[in-house]
Amino acid sequence: MGTPAARQSTDQIYRALRADILGATLRPGEAMSEARMAVRFGVSRTPVREAFKRLVEDGFLSVVPQVGTFVAPIDIVAVYDSQFVRETLECRTVVLAARHIDNAGKATLERHVLQQEKALSTGDQAAFFRHDDAFHAEISRLAGHPAVWSLIESVKAQLDRVRCLSLESATWPEMIMREHRIIAECVTSGNEAAAETAMRAHLRTVFAAIENIARSHVDAFAGSAPPIRLD
């Protein structure tokens, strides 16, 4: 049975707005209007209202009674939780990837690095993040646990919002590329210990970055960061 047209519109609007929020096209605190979005998507206000409800449930929109609906601030606690999940899982998968990588895997990992470097050189932010995720997903696949990346994706939405803000710093993307290159070299050489060290260092750069980003975007964050436990 086909999906009703109204539901299709709701799903499409939801996905588009979610992508805009994750990509910082819609900034924390920005007012959201059902009427304006209905015009944007060429639909009635009903599917927009339904999409808004889903985004509120996901924590991407917040409703202020008698005032309006706004893009929700970034949940700093959720950022640190997702970073903890990433470090716990990816420091294990990168070891397994280094242990099991074959020539085909080496070529694929190198291709992801080159594609991300190309996106950086052309200033294509969407492609930069797409290839960033593809690089990490490939490591999970090489480890023999591709579903691990799906699990990480399910919890890293608030972290992705910080990552998009980080692109406003000229040094951040270049640092990411250097670290990806080091990780790739460790994995392709089969150096398990060095691969784990490189991945842990890579993932922990966000701890230093979050403080700077939060200082530059005071109104973009909600909550206070928990004490950082690195061991």
Side-chain angles (χ1 to χ4, degrees), residues 1-199:
M1 181 180 296
T3 305
R7 177 59 182 276
Q8 287 183 350
S9 295
T10 296
D11 289 343
Q12 292 165 0
I13 294 165
Y14 167 82
R15 288 194 297 269
L17 293 179
R18 186 180 188 276
D20 284 349
I21 293 170
L22 289 179
T25 301
L26 291 172
R27 312 282 286 195
E30 185 170 339
M32 299 290 290
S33 163
E34 289 182 7
R36 178 162 51 89
M37 291 302 161
V39 171
R40 169 183 168 181
F41 292 104
V43 296
S44 70
R45 293 175 62 169
T46 299
V48 174
R49 186 176 301 114
E50 291 302 314
F52 275 22
K53 287 180 181 178
R54 290 171 61 180
L55 290 165
V56 169
E57 292 170 358
D58 290 347
F60 293 126
L61 294 182
S62 59
V63 178
V64 179
Q66 311 302 320
V67 178
T69 301
F70 302 87
V71 177
I74 298 170
D75 185 340
I76 193 67
V77 174
V79 170
Y80 276 75
D81 284 348
S82 61
Q83 185 66 16
F84 175 80
V85 170
R86 288 199 66 172
E87 183 174 333
T88 301
L89 295 176
E90 291 198 72
C91 284
R92 178 57 180 165
T93 57
V94 78
V95 168
L96 296 176
R99 184 177 303 170
H100 299 300
I101 194 168
D102 55 15
N103 288 334
K106 292 176 182 179
T108 301
L109 199 61
E110 176 67 12
R111 185 171 67 251
H112 285 306
V113 171
L114 292 175
Q115 288 173 331
Q116 192 175 16
E117 288 178 338
K118 180 179 179 181
L120 176 61
S121 67
T122 60
D124 188 339
Q125 294 186 4
F128 182 86
F129 275 125
R130 185 168 64 251
H131 293 305
D132 186 296
D133 283 348
F135 175 83
H136 286 273
E138 178 63 16
I139 288 175
S140 291
R141 189 192 68 80
L142 292 170
H145 297 283
V148 166
W149 182 250
S150 297
L151 174 61
I152 291 170
E153 282 192 308
S154 71
V155 300
K156 72 183 185 72
Q158 295 294 338
L159 178 57
D160 282 345
R161 298 178 71 188
V162 179
R163 290 167 66 206
C164 286
L165 288 177
S166 72
L167 281 183
E168 296 177 2
S169 166
T171 60
W172 176 268
E174 294 175 355
M175 177 181 64
I176 294 299
M177 281 313 318
R178 287 196 300 271
E179 293 176 351
H180 274 197
R181 173 59 69 184
I182 293 170
I183 293 168
E185 290 172 354
C186 293
V187 172
T188 55
S189 67
N191 191 330
E192 298 175 23
E196 180 179 7
T197 297
M199 179 64 80

